[in-house]
Amino acid sequence: MRRVIWLDDHRESPPPPYARLIEDEVALLRAIATEESLFVRGESLCRWARSIAQSRNWRVLEIGQPSEDLRAACPSLTSDEATDLIDRLGPRLWDLDRPLRPREVAHVLWGEDFWIGPTGRDHAAHWLCWLIDHNPTGGAAALVGTISDQWRSETVEPLARCYQASDRVSAMAVLEEWLGLAVDAPDREWPAFPLSPLPPTISRALHQLIRQRLIETDGTIIGSWLDEPLSRDVTLLVAREAKTFFRNHPNRLQSDVIGQLARILTPTDIDELRRLRPPADPGDPPADVRAVVKWYREQYLPWREWTVGTQEPSALERARELGRQFGLWYLSAYLRLWMGGEGHDLLTWIRTRQLQESTPSWVTLLLVLDGLGNRDLPVLLKQITETTTRLVVRSNDVSLAPLPTVTEFAKPALLHGLPPDLVQFDEGPDVPMSRLTAVIDALNSAAPGTVIAWRLVEPDRTYHQARDWNELQHDVAGRLTAIARQLGEVVERVSAEIRLRIVLTSDHGRLLGRSRRTLRVPAGCQSHGRAAWGTIRQDGLEFRDRGYIVKGDVAILDASTYRLPEEHVHFVSLTDACFETNDGRGGEEWFPHGGVFPEEVFVPWIELTRDSQIFSPELALTGHGRAQGAGHLELSIMNSNEFPLVVEWIELRVGEQARRIPLRATVGPQTRETVHSAVEHWPTREECQRTTAVVDYRLPNGDMRSQPVSAITLESEALYEKTNILEDLP
């Protein structure tokens, strides 16, 4: 084998790892007698080595100027920047083929595979992360600028915007828009950000960005952020930074912001925020039922929850006053409601009836959580969103529970869609979580329009068993987490072909705070928290037109007025006190129910739908064929959803001409597939450049969607190639 000697006249190249570096005459003389491959540097030394090599028949490899090779590949590089990149490459320069290509140079320099991978959602996300982490300057900036220009030409908006970024600042601006944090950004349809959990570099940068925006806007931006459908990771970052900001600036905290954060942060965090900024007194309840709903949600509830966190005596006294006012209003309004007056559709049992009559295409799961309290709902919704991404909240409303607000009367009415006096006093067996399979089987076999009721005894059972406030919060949160997980199983195990809707509600609410058992149970009655009922003599009870009689802190209800079983007389508390237990015990109880305070009467009515938020598939089309002859298409489809998509057709359009090609391929959940199709009458080269494409795909529930193809690369060979008829002449 001939000996090899490299000659570097320009002193630019690093030596290859398999050659001995020669930089002076003495070293060259000593190396002549060896068998080593040599790398000689310097113009004069190379002339001498070249003569020696020729006389000894060594193989000579002349080294050019790598800096010029780099500048040819990346014209924006200066000489000094090219030299700097060569120094950073070192011996790895020898791993690169000639001519040099910018993407391969970057791949050798920094190692990440995305430098040589195809563009797309994942690629664009990694590119932004790399820019934020490295913040290239000098020669590195020029090199990656050349590469990003190439990438931008290969993709379409909005991902093309990612490749306009060139440093940390511009990358953060694009990331801010992509993640939904740029509230004044143009309306672009960004795909879901693919990196979850967020890489540490991005998470740290977002912490700083969110803090800056909170400071710049005095915290007002938080409302806009929380109104946006942010990802789970970003929402948590926003909420945690907001808590820190408002802890330092309590005068800028508004009650509506606390309500938004309650969906994300823990009850302990929310109690801390409420103590920082006492909400305004809600004022007395209005007379109109729709106005009462607005008053309850926007004024009363935030203020009432603040009273629970602070236990301030004057606020608790005001809560008793407002609770009694509302209770007397509800006792008067209830008759008008069930008779069809304004707001009658807010009664839980009427809503159930409407649900049963108006669900032609959906299979509905009516999930009734016994005694779900106002403080529980944000925790439950948070756990649901952390368990599954396939459920979307379509409406967040409230309903009015029947009286008295205890399970024995309220739940049968809700389940059957009838007033309590028309429902037999028979609870029937609940379907506990251990029978989840029965619920799933019922949903899978249900026809469109069916309503399946799933009744759980939680969280009411846990509330009644707890004796300590801190223990109670922890135990209830655990039950709600378990329910959210079971609901996640329903979402996954019920056939994706079923249009599934979930209505989440409760039979009654519960008092916010602590109650003392100071009300005596009437003779012949049984008690449950803040209500009592029994078969007793009604001598002397003159209800007249009102339907109730007030005696001290108790209201006695006329059964016929309130559509209750007439064999009973019913008592409800008008204060925050409870009835003694049936065995005469007093003491206190946290979060009881049965009375007529607003938080006992109003219950959630949440509608969630499955797979309504669809991630559009990423599409890339390539193909090759002979003009007017046969060709072949390859459609790459990446499905980011948690359910399969069925690709039905692809429509190719050139100007006014369109051609639909059947595909009929199933792309599994979170899968990338390539679909192949033969094509007759392949377009010409000029037509390939003007071709657009749209893919029609079907969701498991039968809905059809269309999606333009963002990346199209079609090649066409001419039917007849021109040849030079003179090229063979001598």
Side-chain angles (χ1 to χ4, degrees):
M1 181 181 292
R2 294 173 64 190
R3 191 176 188 183
V4 179
I5 181 170
W6 284 268
L7 303 179
D8 180 13
D9 293 86
H10 306 284
R11 306 182 67 90
E12 283 191 0
S13 295
Y18 38 78
R20 177 179 174 182
L21 177 61
I22 303 297
E23 294 187 288
D24 58 64
E25 291 81 355
V26 174
L28 178 59
L29 289 172
R30 289 176 176 171
I32 288 175
T34 71
E35 298 297 324
E36 297 175 283
S37 296
L38 306 179
F39 185 87
V40 181
R41 271 184 180 167
E43 186 176 357
S44 61
L45 192 60
C46 284
R47 280 199 302 270
W48 188 25
R50 192 176 289 107
S51 299
I52 296 173
Q54 290 174 352
S55 66
R56 294 174 178 263
N57 196 29
W58 293 347
R59 184 184 177 193
V60 175
L61 297 178
E62 300 282 352
I63 305 299
Q65 288 183 270
S67 62
E68 293 304 316
D69 294 342
L70 273 175
R71 295 182 66 189
C74 183
S76 59
L77 280 172
T78 67
S79 297
D80 290 342
E81 289 171 342
T83 300
D84 175 65
L85 287 178
I86 292 169
D87 291 341
R88 294 172 64 176
L89 283 165
R92 291 174 296 174
L93 181 65
W94 294 91
D95 297 331
L96 294 167
D97 295 329
R98 298 303 191 274
L100 295 178
R101 296 177 176 85
R103 298 187 198 186
E104 283 80 2
V105 173
H107 184 236
V108 170
L109 265 176
W110 293 294
E112 288 88 344
D113 288 339
F114 76 87
W115 293 109
I116 54 176
T119 57
R121 184 185 63 161
D122 288 10
H123 185 276
H126 282 101
W127 163 241
L128 294 179
C129 292
W130 186 88
L131 282 176
I132 292 168
D133 195 20
H134 291 79
N135 193 31
T137 59
L143 175 64
V144 300
T146 298
I147 297 171
S148 64
D149 287 342
Q150 295 173 358
W151 286 335
R152 188 164 62 251
S153 67
E154 296 171 4
T155 189
V156 296
E157 293 292 351
L159 292 180
R161 173 158 162 66
C162 298
Y163 302 116
Q164 294 174 347
S166 58
D167 54 21
R168 179 178 294 135
V169 172
S170 56
M172 282 301 301
V174 176
L175 186 67
E176 184 178 9
E177 180 181 337
W178 191 347
L179 296 178
L181 296 173
V183 296
D184 56 350
D187 187 16
R188 296 186 175 97
E189 189 179 348
W190 286 93
F193 192 74
L195 305 183
S196 182
L198 294 172
T201 299
I202 299 300
S203 183
R204 288 192 297 269
L206 286 177
H207 272 292
Q208 183 177 3
L209 173 72
I210 293 168
R211 289 187 179 187
Q212 289 173 346
R213 298 293 181 263
L214 287 168
I215 295 170
E216 291 167 357
T217 63
D218 285 338
T220 58
I221 196 173
I222 189 68
S224 300
W225 278 342
L226 296 179
D227 283 339
E228 294 293 322
L230 305 177
S231 71
R232 184 184 312 164
D233 294 338
V234 176
T235 299
L236 287 174
L237 284 178
V238 166
R240 289 166 182 165
E241 287 299 330
K243 186 185 79 168
T244 302
F245 177 83
F246 290 124
R247 185 190 293 135
N248 294 320
H249 302 281
N251 60 316
R252 298 170 186 168
L253 179 61
Q254 302 298 323
S255 58
D256 58 337
V257 171
I258 296 178
Q260 290 176 300
L261 291 172
R263 305 194 307 263
I264 308 161
L265 299 175
T266 66
T268 302
D269 290 332
I270 296 302
D271 283 342
E272 179 184 352
L273 290 178
R274 288 195 175 103
R275 286 192 291 271
L276 295 175
R277 185 70 170 174
D281 186 284
D284 297 343
D288 178 74
V289 63
R290 301 292 181 186
V292 165
V293 172
K294 182 178 176 65
W295 169 83
Y296 165 75
R297 303 189 77 173
E298 297 181 7
Q299 280 85 46
Y300 175 83
L301 189 55
W303 175 85
R304 185 70 173 100
E305 291 183 324
W306 169 77
T307 68
V308 178
T310 61
Q311 293 291 296
E312 204 276 321
S314 63
L316 294 176
E317 183 58 36
R318 174 62 171 154
R320 296 184 190 101
E321 177 186 346
L322 289 178
R324 186 182 183 98
Q325 288 183 28
F326 173 85
L328 293 174
W329 172 86
Y330 191 51
L331 292 176
S332 298
Y334 194 83
L335 175 62
R336 300 191 301 273
L337 292 173
W338 73 255
M339 293 184 67
E342 174 66 21
H344 74 283
D345 56 329
L346 292 175
L347 289 170
T348 56
W349 49 273
I350 291 179
R351 288 196 97 154
T352 302
R353 184 193 306 165
Q354 293 174 338
L355 190 67
Q356 295 167 341
E357 296 171 352
S358 61
T359 57
S361 62
W362 295 88
V363 171
T364 302
L365 173 63
L366 179 63
L367 176 55
V368 180
L369 302 179
D370 197 330
L372 184 72
N374 293 277
R375 292 170 63 87
D376 305 328
L377 184 59
V379 177
L380 178 60
L381 290 179
K382 176 175 178 287
Q383 292 298 330
I384 290 174
T385 57
E386 291 182 358
T387 300
T388 177
T389 60
R390 298 181 66 182
L391 287 178
V392 175
V393 176
R394 287 304 177 193
S395 67
N396 188 337
D397 203 357
V398 293
S399 292
L400 295 165
L403 296 174
T405 53
V406 291
T407 298
E408 284 80 352
F409 304 100
K411 186 181 285 188
L414 168 65
L415 292 172
H416 292 278
L418 295 170
D421 63 339
L422 295 183
V423 182
Q424 290 188 358
F425 193 78
D426 177 19
E427 263 271 81
D430 281 327
V431 182
M433 288 196 294
S434 61
R435 294 193 56 197
L436 173 66
T437 301
V439 175
I440 294 172
D441 290 343
L443 290 169
N444 276 321
S445 59
T450 304
V451 178
I452 303 293
W454 185 16
R455 302 169 289 172
L456 298 178
V457 296
E458 293 290 359
D460 195 64
R461 175 186 291 170
T462 300
Y463 272 106
H464 289 307
Q465 292 176 346
R467 295 292 180 268
D468 177 81
W469 165 229
N470 292 325
E471 175 187 318
L472 175 61
Q473 291 188 97
H474 181 270
D475 289 348
V476 169
R479 299 298 179 272
L480 297 177
T481 299
I483 291 170
R485 289 174 180 168
Q486 299 291 326
L487 195 57
E489 284 198 51
V490 170
V491 169
E492 296 300 324
R493 293 170 58 186
V494 171
S495 171
E497 298 179 0
I498 293 174
R499 295 172 63 88
L500 179 63
R501 173 172 62 178
I502 298 169
V503 174
L504 192 159
T505 189
S506 181
D507 49 351
H508 58 77
R510 51 195 341 113
L511 184 75
L512 283 170
R514 179 170 48 187
S515 178
R516 297 188 180 278
R517 300 189 186 101
T518 59
L519 301 177
R520 302 295 296 271
V521 181
C525 291
Q526 61 176 313
S527 68
H528 186 98
R530 292 163 43 73
W533 62 93
T535 306
I536 63 172
R537 293 176 59 85
Q538 302 187 40
D539 298 343
L541 297 179
E542 297 183 8
F543 294 103
R544 299 179 181 173
D545 295 335
R546 289 197 306 178
Y548 67 92
I549 299 172
V550 176
K551 288 193 174 182
D553 291 332
V554 173
I556 308 172
L557 309 184
D558 176 37
S560 61
T561 300
Y562 296 100
R563 303 299 306 268
L564 292 166
E566 295 194 16
E567 66 269 21
H568 295 145
V569 175
H570 303 269
F571 303 80
V572 294
S573 174
L574 293 174
T575 181
D576 61 353
C578 282
F579 286 93
E580 295 175 344
T581 62
N582 291 309
D583 57 3
R585 287 187 294 109
E588 63 181 29
E589 183 177 348
W590 281 96
F591 300 103
H593 60 91
V596 286
F597 272 35
E599 58 265 34
E600 295 173 278
V601 168
F602 282 104
V603 296
W605 189 273
I606 312 297
E607 181 178 320
L608 307 103
T609 53
R610 182 179 64 171
D611 298 340
S612 296
Q613 182 174 320
I614 308 299
F615 297 138
S616 298
E618 284 192 39
L619 306 171
L621 181 66
T622 59
H624 182 272
R626 182 175 293 275
Q628 308 305 319
H632 183 81
L633 285 178
E634 291 187 1
L635 178 66
S636 173
I637 310 159
M638 185 169 71
N639 175 21
S640 300
N641 297 287
E642 298 178 42
F643 48 85
L645 302 176
V646 179
V647 180
E648 299 278 7
W649 299 87
I650 183 170
E651 180 178 282
L652 303 179
R653 182 175 290 276
V654 181
E656 298 299 322
Q657 297 181 344
R659 183 191 314 172
R660 286 174 64 81
I661 301 171
L663 297 176
R664 294 188 177 85
T666 299
V667 183
Q670 297 183 331
T671 302
R672 184 192 294 272
E673 296 282 358
T674 300
V675 181
H676 302 267
S677 178
V679 177
E680 297 180 358
H681 307 296
W682 189 258
T684 66
R685 186 173 302 169
E686 187 272 336
E687 289 173 336
C688 285
Q689 295 174 350
R690 296 189 295 116
T691 296
T692 61
V694 175
V695 170
D696 293 338
Y697 62 93
R698 178 165 46 85
L699 304 179
N701 61 22
D703 288 353
M704 291 296 297
R705 301 277 179 104
S706 295
Q707 173 74 14
V709 180
S710 58
I712 301 177
T713 305
L714 302 180
E715 298 178 353
S716 181
E717 297 179 8
L719 186 60
Y720 300 104
E721 297 287 352
K722 293 182 179 180
T723 59
N724 183 358
I725 62 174
L726 302 178
E727 64 183 1
D728 293 331
L729 294 179

